[in-house]
Amino acid sequence: MNKSKRPFTKSKRSFRRRLPPIQSGDRIDYRNMSLIGRFISEQGKILSRRVNRVTLKQQRLITIAIKQARILSLLPFLNNQKQFER
């Protein structure tokens, strides 16, 4: 029996790399509402770094920008408008 061949080998799966949500030219700023809006949930919460797929440095800058926008009334702190459907 040939020892070089192993019966259980890992299959080499090809996977498509996801594009980063923040491009190199984008400035993370409290005025850039189109960028900041992508990182907030429906309830108005800041999404986690795992969900956003951003680096730690980018997540910190996003968080600071969102908080600044909330203080300046550009974003709501909460979005409690529940839709009543009957």
Side-chain angles (χ1 to χ4, degrees), residues 21-44:
I22 299 176
Q23 305 301 327
S24 59
D26 289 340
R27 287 202 57 212
I28 302 172
D29 198 26
Y30 68 92
R31 291 170 286 182
N32 194 350
M33 297 305 295
S34 60
L35 179 71
I36 289 177
R38 290 189 246 160
F39 303 108
I40 298 175
S41 69
E42 291 288 322
Q43 292 84 24

Side-chain angles (χ1 to χ4, degrees), residues 2-56:
N2 194 355
K3 286 187 177 182
S4 64
K5 289 186 179 180
R6 286 183 276 160
F8 302 107
T9 58
K10 287 185 180 179
S11 64
K12 293 187 178 181
R13 291 182 294 169
S14 65
F15 61 93
R16 193 173 65 110
R17 265 185 84 130
R18 290 178 55 113
L19 293 172
I22 299 176
Q23 305 301 327
S24 59
D26 289 340
R27 287 202 57 212
I28 302 172
D29 198 26
Y30 68 92
R31 291 170 286 182
N32 194 350
M33 297 305 295
S34 60
L35 179 71
I36 289 177
R38 290 189 246 160
F39 303 108
I40 298 175
S41 69
E42 291 288 322
Q43 292 84 24
K45 294 181 181 180
I46 300 172
L47 294 173
S48 70
R49 191 175 149 227
R50 268 187 325 190
V51 176
N52 291 339
R53 295 192 180 263
V54 293
T55 63
L56 182 61

Side-chain angles (χ1 to χ4, degrees), residues 28 46-47 58-68:
I28 302 172
I46 300 172
L47 294 173
Q58 288 173 336
Q59 181 70 20
R60 283 195 196 120
L61 290 172
I62 289 165
T63 304
I64 290 168
I66 290 171
K67 289 179 180 180
Q68 285 176 340

